[in-house]
Amino acid sequence: MSQVVEKPTARPVTPLGILAKQLETILQTLHQQTSDELQANLNQAWLLAAGLDPYLEECTTGESPALAALAQKTAHEAWNQKFHEGATVRELEQEMLSGHVEGQTLKMFIHMTKAKKVLEVGMFTGYSALAMAEALPPDGELVACEVDPYTAEFGQTAFQQSPHGAKIRVEVGAALDTLQKLADARESFDFVFIDADKKEYVKYFQILLEKDLLVPGGFICVDNTLLQGQVYLPEENRTLNGEAIAQFNHIVAADSRVEQVLLPLRDGLTIIRRLP
């Protein structure tokens, strides 16, 4: 009899996921200690929070076999052990994966914009890169910047299992160095996805515009722009990353070269359009 392998449980890292977990804890704590009305109201609030993400998953087009395999492999990797062994240059965790709904969102954006050349700043294990590559035409190209050689190789191995993997070119090194190299080579992109060092988001944004790495009318999608809700919580509740994202959001909103919208998808996804 085959053994069923359970997927490791990911900790909540989005505003909605954290809210659902806190409501669940409150319900467990207050069970049989409160009025029936309060219990019912708390239970309804928890159901609303906890049920949304699974429903989005259910109603979103399923992953390709290559994406599903990559997500499973990432979830089962011993990331903490790899860091302590020196295999990775920084601490990593499965929650860094873009995931099914966001991956399909990015894939849809590539279809909608008809982008042919895509830049990804921060690849991790390659899920979002492969999702976008699946939407690129046969002559399209995606350049993925990744600072960690281990995860870069992890992703490239997965790309070999997909008919779309050949569209992806991985550049290993610090993202700012890679962006400068691409600018020096006069490369430009129709669509950019940023999901890397939060404290460097402003620098990524500025170099994309100032070095013309993003074409006029092109789009930038930026991940984690709600950062667990820290950006709209009191400042004393923010980490260094939370403060960095709050500043990034403010700078983008004040920049006359672009227009943007912040979507409450997972941990926040901002869509930025460079004005012609």
Side-chain angles (χ1 to χ4, degrees):
M1 180 181 296
S2 61
Q3 183 179 2
V4 177
V5 178
E6 295 184 0
K7 180 179 178 180
T9 302
R11 66 182 178 88
V13 292
T14 68
L16 185 64
I18 294 169
L19 173 61
K21 185 63 178 179
Q22 290 180 337
L23 286 170
E24 182 182 16
T25 301
I26 291 170
L27 280 167
Q28 293 171 346
T29 303
L30 297 182
H31 184 59
Q32 295 182 342
Q33 298 180 21
T34 60
S35 67
D36 290 342
E37 183 180 2
L38 178 57
Q39 186 78 24
N41 286 335
L42 284 170
N43 190 66
Q44 183 64 18
W46 173 69
L47 288 173
L48 284 169
L52 180 56
D53 280 346
Y55 188 70
L56 295 178
E57 295 267 354
E58 179 185 340
C59 295
T60 297
T61 298
E63 313 164 293
S64 67
L67 284 172
L70 179 53
Q72 185 178 51
K73 184 180 178 183
T74 302
H76 286 88
E77 186 74 359
W79 293 111
N80 189 55
Q81 179 182 337
K82 293 297 181 183
F83 174 71
H84 289 294
E85 291 173 350
T88 64
V89 300
R90 56 187 175 134
E91 292 187 87
L92 303 169
E93 55 183 351
Q94 68 178 86
E95 288 83 8
M96 292 179 174
L97 195 81
S98 297
H100 172 211
V101 174
E102 187 168 357
Q104 290 299 307
T105 299
L106 292 169
K107 183 176 179 179
M108 193 71 74
F109 286 163
I110 300 301
H111 280 303
M112 291 167 65
T113 61
K114 302 187 185 304
K116 291 188 68 174
K117 195 164 184 185
V118 176
L119 173 65
E120 180 174 65
V121 184
M123 186 185 83
F124 188 37
T125 59
Y127 187 96
S128 52
L130 185 56
M132 290 186 286
E134 289 181 350
L136 284 172
D139 60 342
E141 181 186 39
L142 185 147
V143 178
C145 309
E146 177 52 49
V147 70
D148 196 309
Y150 183 86
T151 56
E153 183 178 351
F154 191 105
Q156 288 174 307
T157 300
F159 300 157
Q160 294 171 4
Q161 310 304 314
S162 167
H164 303 279
K167 302 173 189 175
I168 302 171
R169 182 177 107 216
V170 180
E171 294 282 350
V172 181
L176 289 173
D177 292 341
T178 300
L179 293 178
Q180 185 60 57
K181 183 174 73 171
L182 294 171
D184 291 342
R186 298 187 179 278
E187 295 203 47
S188 60
F189 299 86
D190 308 309
F191 189 96
V192 180
F193 178 51
I194 299 176
D195 184 13
D197 187 342
K198 312 311 170 193
K199 293 183 287 295
E200 292 186 345
Y201 269 25
V202 172
K203 293 180 181 178
Y204 302 149
F205 174 69
Q206 297 291 4
I207 195 172
L208 287 170
L209 297 183
E210 292 169 3
K211 300 292 185 178
D212 288 326
L213 282 165
L214 180 70
V215 300
F219 290 87
I220 307 171
C221 275
V222 188
D223 201 13
N224 303 115
T225 47
L226 289 178
L227 205 79
Q228 303 177 10
Q230 293 181 32
V231 293
Y232 56 84
L233 292 175
E235 290 185 16
E236 57 267 25
N237 294 331
R238 294 177 186 167
T239 61
L240 290 177
N241 279 345
E243 181 59 32
I245 294 297
Q247 291 180 10
F248 170 79
N249 290 341
H250 175 74
I251 287 170
V252 171
D255 197 313
S256 61
R257 297 172 295 179
V258 299
E259 58 185 10
Q260 69 288 326
V261 59
L262 200 169
L263 303 177
L265 175 67
R266 295 193 76 246
D267 201 27
L269 184 68
T270 296
I271 308 169
I272 302 169
R273 175 176 173 263
R274 181 178 184 181
L275 297 176

